[in-house]
């Protein structure tokens, strides 16, 4: 039986590439999304991957939706926490709401979804969890106090949960992407983007497929001895 994989934010951007790569690797993939119904519908039509709409920042909604997914699709054995948002501002203009939104969506979501699958994975003695961090959580970034805090929080979360999961063959790893060519990055003004690319030793932005390949690797059955790690996929921009 194909293992069931849930990819949060899995119908757009990096998440869509992860969903498709996991499907190509033989997984039964389910994608989550927040509100973009048109993208979700088009994605399902194109790939056959079902999409479930819920807010990963909301604990009760996440637990209820994951119970529904498991009833309809089977137990989740692979979880990819990819959903994320930015609400950038310098500290002077960073509101409490912008802080809460980013922490809840990027970091609180990891607690919400992991909590919902943890007992099942522990009981079955198998699990693969990958949390998507960011180079900006490792290195910091101007105007991203909220985002950097959430993403660097993911790295501590990953290591601590990996220690708990080890005895039950649950691996927990993180991927820290560098700058990837998605809508999030295309929103950056061209002159700023040029300066960013100039700082990437490989001389280009990453692609969503570059990140997806890392997820397939870390979620393979044979990746059993890799846990608590952060895989940096950033073209050499920040060696951490
Ligand atoms: P996109 O903005 O392209 O896609 C974000 C996805 O997350 C969408 O599917 C969106 O759903 C979903 N999402 C957002 N909020 C929620 C929520 N509350 N509940 C459920 N789903 C939600 O992002 P990217 O593909 O660029 O980024 C993916 C991940 O990679 C993020 O965690 C990001 O921080 C990280 N990252 C990205 C980098 C980049 O260069 N792009 C660099 C480093 C890290 P919907 O379509 O419904 O809005």
């Amino acid at each position: 039986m194909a293992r069931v994989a849930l990819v949060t934010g899995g119908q757009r951007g990096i998440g869509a590439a992860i969903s498709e790569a996991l499907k190509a690797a033989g997984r039964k993939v389910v994608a989550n999304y927040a509100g973009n119904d048109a993208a979700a519908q088009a994605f399902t039509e194109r790939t056959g991957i079902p999409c479930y709409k819920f807010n990963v920042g909301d604990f009760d909604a996440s637990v209820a939706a994951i119970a529904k997914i498991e009833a309809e699709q089977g137990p989740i054995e692979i979880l990819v926490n990819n959903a994320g948002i930015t609400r950038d501002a310098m500290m002077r203009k960073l509101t409490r709401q912008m802080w809460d939104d980013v922490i809840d969506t990027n970091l609180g979501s990891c607690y919400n979804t992991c909590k919902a699958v943890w007992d099942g994975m522990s009981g079955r003695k198998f699990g693969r969890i990958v949390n998507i961090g960011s180079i900006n959580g490792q290195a910091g970034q101007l105007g991203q106090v909220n985002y950097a805090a959430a993403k660097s929080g993911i790295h501590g979360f990953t290591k601590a949960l990996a220690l708990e999961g080890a005895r039950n063959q649950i691996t927990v790893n993180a991927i820290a992407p560098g700058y990837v060519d998605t809508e999030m990055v295309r929103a950056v003004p061209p002159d700023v983007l040029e300066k960013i690319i100039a700082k990437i030793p490989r001389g280009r932005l990453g692609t969503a497929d570059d990140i997806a390949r890392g997820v397939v690797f870390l979620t393979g059955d044979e990746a059993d001895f890799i846990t608590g790690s952060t895989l940096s996929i950033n073209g050499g921009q920040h060696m951490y």
Side-chain angles (χ1 to χ4, degrees), residues 90-124:
M90 300 298 264
M91 194 58 166
R92 276 184 59 220
K93 294 197 169 162
L94 183 64
T95 64
R96 179 69 207 201
Q97 192 62 52
M98 293 159 92
W99 169 266
D100 286 344
D101 287 349
V102 167
I103 297 291
D104 288 350
T105 305
N106 294 273
L107 181 59
S109 59
C110 293
Y111 170 80
N112 297 340
T113 57
C114 287
K115 179 75 177 166
V117 301
W118 194 253
D119 287 352
M121 285 185 176
S122 301
R124 291 187 300 274

Side-chain angles (χ1 to χ4, degrees), residues 47-71:
T47 63
I49 294 171
C51 291
Y52 287 73
K53 180 172 166 176
F54 61 94
N55 175 7
V56 292
D58 178 328
F59 178 71
D60 292 336
S62 300
V63 169
I66 285 175
K68 184 172 189 277
I69 291 168
E70 293 202 313

Side-chain angles (χ1 to χ4, degrees), residues 159-173:
K159 290 182 214 176
L161 196 60
L163 287 173
E164 284 188 43
R167 76 190 68 168
N168 288 323
Q169 289 90 58
I170 303 170
T171 67
V172 189
N173 292 290

Side-chain angles (χ1 to χ4, degrees), residues 8-15 32-37 39 54-57 81-86 105-106 132-136 147 151 176-185:
T8 70
Q11 98 302 12
R12 262 199 317 121
I14 294 172
N32 145 268
Y33 70 107
N36 195 332
D37 296 321
F54 61 94
N55 175 7
V56 292
N81 282 310
N82 163 78
I85 58 167
T86 51
T105 305
N106 294 273
I132 304 298
S134 169
I135 188 171
N136 292 350
Y147 185 80
K151 291 302 192 182
Y179 285 85
V180 180
D181 190 6
T182 63
E183 279 172 40
M184 203 186 252
V185 166

